[in-house]
Amino acid sequence: MATAAAGALGLLWGWLWSERFWLPQNVSWADLEGPGDGYGYPRARHILSVFPLAAGVFSVRLLFERFIAKPCALHVGIQDSGPYQPQPNAILEKVFISITKYPDEKRLEGLSKQLDWDVRKIQCWFRHRRNQDKPPTLTKFCESMWRFTFYLCIFCYGIRFLWSSPWFWDTRQCWHSYPYQPLTSGLYYYYIMELAFYWSLMFSQFTDIKRKDFLIMFVHHLATIGLITFSYINNMVRVGTLVMCLHDASDFLLEAAKLANYAKYQRLCDTLFVIFSAVFMVTRLGIYPFWILNTTLFESWEIIGPYPSWWLFNGLLLILQVLHVIWSYLIARIAFKALIRGKVSKDDRSDVESSSEEDDVTTNTKSSCGSSSSNGASWVNGHMGGSCWVEE
């Protein structure tokens, strides 16, 4: 029994690391065991170093939010207080938990007669009760400031690193001598830091306040981690750095727009969001297909030829391009509404509802549109995936 299980496990392991799948013809894993130059060749075991680093990144985030982001939030006038606590009421709480969080007019009238409360008072109770389950603006500001700082720093590092890399200027260099392309220290740290950051986001999802897009974000981070890990093990790290830097170019702009929104600098928020929209569409609909996909599909075919993992890698990149088109449409719709209304739509994943009756009605009547906008912004935030490549 144990022998059969060990045999099955060995067969599965051999299939998982099949050289016929991962590597071009006439190349074996043994060929990549040599030291090469710098850090040698990428190996799957290098990925293990990501986990303690991700824990360190998560710890740095906690310190950053506590000692840097929070004082900045208080300085711009964001209050360190939670949402208003509604008056305890067992009947309304039961309706809220078991039936609906958004009672219709008929139910409101019934509750009004049952409790001898004014309808407006009941509406306010439900509004405050919904806000009670949402993270305060201070928390959202701190989270966005951390992401803004990381995205900006990693983008600047990526540009600095790629500026001196030959494949940044000639993408055919991504495939010359492939897969015998040894790592440099700069390339290794760039890849590992990106991967550690997304693992830290995976960890923090289970400790942060839950949001509506929890599942979307989870899938996004998982897809991003999978794509970065796949390209590392397959030693497609040169083109991988181009993909990562391209996506980082717009991420920090969206987080900056969120920070301006939370601080109630509406004009700055609108301006940053329009800039973000322009950069997103130029990079994802222009540079990505005509620069990245051109080299992964055509230049690589010419220089190294296709093999099984090549097909998978390009298939994932093409799926990503489809997602870029979808997200660009969602972002363009938000930007267009911003230009028409003079205000960017709210991120309805967690924003606190307005206390006025008019705002409450507006929120309800626009919930479906707001949801689409939120998901579009959320999805933008990632790197590669149908995260969904997200919070943005």
Side-chain angles (χ1 to χ4, degrees):
M1 183 75 174
T3 304
L9 186 61
L11 185 64
L12 177 62
W13 186 258
W15 173 82
L16 181 63
W17 296 108
S18 170
E19 295 172 347
R20 294 183 59 188
F21 172 77
W22 286 99
L23 302 173
Q25 289 184 354
N26 303 320
V27 179
S28 67
W29 292 119
D31 297 332
L32 300 176
E33 285 289 353
D37 298 319
Y39 278 60
Y41 300 114
R43 303 295 292 166
R45 60 176 175 267
H46 295 170
I47 301 300
L48 297 177
S49 64
V50 165
F51 297 106
L53 185 58
V57 170
F58 181 66
S59 300
V60 171
R61 172 197 165 176
L62 296 178
L63 294 174
F64 178 90
E65 291 184 358
R66 174 65 180 84
F67 296 105
I68 298 178
K70 185 175 180 180
C72 289
L74 297 176
H75 181 72
V76 298
I78 298 176
Q79 297 181 353
D80 186 9
S81 60
Y84 176 82
Q85 300 294 320
Q87 175 184 342
N89 187 290
I91 295 175
L92 296 181
E93 185 69 22
K94 183 177 180 180
V95 172
F96 183 88
I97 297 296
S98 306
I99 302 176
T100 180
K101 297 180 180 181
Y102 295 89
D104 56 23
E105 184 176 351
K106 183 177 180 181
R107 190 174 299 277
L108 286 171
E109 291 176 354
L111 290 171
S112 176
K113 294 178 181 178
Q114 184 178 356
L115 297 172
D116 195 24
W117 281 18
D118 184 78
V119 170
R120 178 177 172 79
K121 184 177 180 181
I122 297 175
Q123 287 179 324
C124 289
W125 189 96
F126 275 93
R127 184 185 309 112
H128 293 315
R129 182 63 181 83
R130 289 192 296 269
N131 288 340
Q132 195 175 325
D133 294 337
K134 298 175 180 179
T137 302
L138 179 66
T139 300
K140 295 184 290 181
F141 183 94
C142 292
E143 290 179 2
S144 285
M145 188 169 180
W146 163 247
R147 287 192 297 268
F148 166 78
T149 303
F150 179 85
Y151 288 139
L152 179 60
C153 291
I154 201 68
F155 174 68
C156 292
Y157 177 86
I159 287 293
R160 181 178 179 275
F161 168 74
L162 288 171
W163 197 263
S164 59
S165 302
W167 60 89
F168 183 69
W169 307 101
D170 177 12
T171 53
R172 296 176 68 87
Q173 293 291 329
C174 291
W175 314 108
H176 286 318
S177 303
Y178 178 84
Y180 304 106
Q181 297 172 340
L183 286 169
T184 63
S185 60
L187 196 157
Y188 174 79
Y189 291 133
Y190 187 21
Y191 243 79
I192 294 301
M193 278 305 300
E194 287 271 14
L195 194 53
F197 176 72
Y198 280 98
W199 270 114
S200 74
L201 291 183
M202 286 282 285
F203 300 154
S204 64
Q205 268 209 294
F206 297 95
T207 59
D208 292 342
I209 297 174
K210 295 296 183 293
R211 283 173 162 171
K212 294 179 183 179
D213 63 349
F214 175 87
L215 182 59
I216 295 173
M217 292 295 293
F218 181 81
V219 175
H220 164 261
H221 300 330
L222 199 61
T224 302
I225 289 168
L227 282 164
I228 296 176
T229 302
F230 178 87
S231 62
Y232 185 86
I233 295 174
N234 205 27
N235 201 15
M236 291 185 174
V237 290
R238 292 187 176 183
V239 73
T241 57
L242 300 179
V243 175
M244 291 191 300
C245 189
L246 185 73
H247 285 80
D248 287 334
S250 59
D251 288 343
F252 72 91
L253 290 169
L254 179 60
E255 296 303 330
K258 289 181 180 181
L259 292 175
N261 181 51
Y262 298 146
K264 300 189 184 303
Y265 297 150
Q266 191 60 49
R267 181 169 297 182
L268 178 61
C269 170
D270 295 344
T271 302
L272 288 170
F273 187 81
V274 170
I275 295 173
F276 155 76
S277 302
V279 172
F280 184 92
M281 293 180 190
V282 168
T283 54
R284 312 291 174 98
L285 300 184
I287 299 176
Y288 181 83
F290 294 106
W291 191 46
I292 301 294
L293 292 183
N294 177 67
T295 190
T296 61
L297 287 170
F298 303 112
E299 293 178 349
S300 66
W301 181 293
E302 177 185 341
I303 296 172
I304 65 173
Y307 54 99
S309 66
W310 181 95
W311 289 104
L312 177 59
F313 185 65
N314 278 286
L316 294 173
L317 293 179
L318 288 171
I319 292 173
L320 182 56
Q321 178 58 27
V322 173
L323 295 173
H324 288 164
V325 174
I326 297 172
W327 298 332
S328 295
Y329 165 73
L330 295 173
I331 293 169
R333 189 170 67 175
I334 298 172
F336 179 74
K337 289 180 179 178
L339 293 174
I340 297 300
R341 301 174 182 173
K343 184 176 181 180
V344 172
S345 299
K346 294 191 338 183
D347 177 357
D348 78 336
R349 293 175 310 134
S350 54
D351 280 352
V352 176
E353 296 175 57
S354 170
S355 60
S356 71
E357 182 178 5
E358 179 181 353
D359 285 345
D360 189 61
V361 173
T362 302
T363 300
N364 290 334
T365 58
K366 295 178 181 175
S367 60
S368 61
C369 175
S371 178
S372 298
S373 299
S374 167
N375 292 342
S378 180
W379 287 337
V380 171
N381 189 41
H383 267 267
M384 299 176 229
S387 353
C388 298
W389 230 167
V390 210
E391 188 187 353
E392 292 179 315

